[in-house]
Amino acid sequence: MLKIPKDKLPRHLAIIMDGNGRWAKRRGLPRSEGHRVGMEKVREMGRLCLDFGIKVLTVYAFSCQNWKRPKEEVDFLMSTFERYLDEEADDLNERGIQLRVIGRKEGLSPELRRRIKAAMELTRRNRKLIFNLALNYGGQEEIVDAVRTIAEKVKRGELSPDQINVDLLSQHLYTADLPYPDLLIRTGGEYRLSNFLLYQIAYTELWITPTFWPDFGKEQLIQALEEYARRERRFGGLGPSVETGRS
Ligand code: FPP
């Protein structure tokens, strides 16, 4: 059971799902087996976020840089995404989950794009949970795409350069209408951001666990949420304990 007051829960949870390969290697299994179990964990996380009342979940499934992996692994991951969309779209829809894919969709195969479009279309009216799947995603690339759109608007005379500010840039990101992540979980124990949501995580709380993604479950999610609930977020200000003189 989750004993965290609603106002202490993250509205937006982001996850870097790392460690599938190492999980498999430790068991003498092919890396693909780690990704297969990883996919089951993605299903589980969606359901848990829904149960807990988290409004937005964003998971990092494939980065713009992951194309550098061996072709066999890339092909396996792409077919896993296709299978996931096929098998999961109806279930997401029945649960009231809206699926979105963020990233450079034009770099994905026509077949995967077709399935993404169908799943997004099917679930687009759902509001219980917005589930962003980051595919062919890069944080730097997202900022470049936003800047390019803004530059085109300036060129057409729809915007003047002095109207460009933090909010305007934010409104041109893939996540334009969503709150920034409150909590970022990274599994697999590495202390880096790996080009994920770079603009949006300026004040996001970080929680890193050595647990590999295929071993990550409900208990660990609750542990992360409980720690998040205890954190004092200051957003560059002083925060209530300093302002009131309390320690
Ligand atoms: C990182 O582990 C994981 C990935 C690059 C792929 C993420 C994919 C999944 C969790 C499975 C499918 C997901 C969906 C949404 C259907 P790694 O391979 O870099 O692990 P390592 O650091 O141990 O090598």
Side-chain angles (χ1 to χ4, degrees):
M1 256 302 284
L2 191 68
K3 292 185 247 66
I4 302 172
K6 272 239 162 331
D7 65 326
K8 289 281 184 187
L9 272 176
R11 272 193 306 166
H12 183 169
L13 170 67
I15 309 181
I16 300 178
M17 311 179 289
D18 197 17
N20 293 351
R22 280 166 287 163
W23 178 91
K25 192 171 176 206
R26 280 217 183 151
R27 285 165 175 74
L29 298 168
R31 291 176 61 81
S32 58
E33 190 54 19
H35 296 317
R36 195 190 60 74
V37 179
M39 180 180 88
E40 297 304 326
K41 290 292 165 173
V42 172
R43 284 190 223 266
E44 186 185 336
M45 273 316 120
R47 288 167 198 179
L48 287 170
C49 285
L50 197 62
D51 286 351
F52 293 166
I54 291 167
K55 301 310 285 180
V56 186
L57 169 67
T58 303
V59 301
Y60 204 6
F62 194 87
S63 76
C64 295
Q65 288 68 36
N66 284 152
W67 297 105
K68 289 185 259 182
R69 293 187 178 206
K71 183 174 182 308
E72 193 192 348
E73 181 168 349
V74 170
D75 288 349
F76 181 84
L77 281 168
M78 292 300 149
S79 61
T80 304
F81 302 141
E82 286 182 8
R83 197 156 52 83
Y84 174 82
L85 291 167
D86 257 10
E87 291 175 3
E88 216 41 19
D90 284 334
D91 189 78
L92 294 174
N93 193 36
E94 277 154 28
R95 289 173 197 268
I97 302 176
Q98 183 186 132
L99 179 87
R100 298 184 186 182
V101 170
I102 58 169
R104 289 184 166 168
K105 293 194 202 65
E106 64 279 11
L108 302 171
S109 76
E111 182 51 33
L112 181 53
R113 268 166 23 215
R114 194 188 60 71
R115 296 187 200 197
I116 290 170
K117 198 168 164 229
M120 285 177 65
E121 181 58 32
L122 178 71
T123 62
R124 83 188 150 89
R125 284 185 203 84
N126 298 337
R127 291 288 176 274
K128 283 198 186 144
L129 170 70
I130 293 178
F131 176 36
N132 293 311
L133 199 55
L135 278 186
N136 196 24
Y137 173 89
Q140 291 176 329
E141 286 77 1
E142 179 181 28
I143 296 168
V144 168
D145 289 348
V147 169
R148 209 173 269 160
T149 309
I150 293 169
E152 278 159 8
K153 289 186 182 175
V154 170
K155 194 172 157 197
R156 290 198 298 269
E158 292 166 20
L159 264 181
S160 77
D162 58 334
Q163 285 174 292
I164 301 171
N165 56 29
V166 169
D167 285 339
L168 185 108
L169 208 142
S170 181
Q171 286 154 21
H172 288 80
L173 298 172
Y174 308 146
T175 55
D177 59 332
L178 301 175
Y180 292 150
D182 301 294
L183 174 64
L184 170 65
I185 293 177
R186 178 168 189 143
T187 64
E190 311 282 2
Y191 283 73
R192 55 178 171 254
L193 297 172
S194 302
N195 202 14
F196 192 41
L197 301 173
L198 296 181
Y199 195 88
Q200 296 91 330
I201 58 172
Y203 288 102
T204 297
E205 297 293 323
L206 309 179
W207 194 83
I208 297 168
T209 172
T211 301
F212 297 138
W213 177 248
D215 284 332
F216 189 84
K218 182 174 180 177
E219 236 170 78
Q220 285 233 302
L221 177 63
I222 292 178
Q223 204 186 327
L225 295 175
E226 285 177 345
E227 185 174 324
Y228 170 80
R230 288 193 293 272
R231 300 238 184 123
E232 184 189 29
R233 302 188 70 190
R234 293 196 288 272
F235 300 94
L238 296 180
S241 61
V242 177
E243 280 156 16
T244 60
R246 283 186 279 113
S247 61

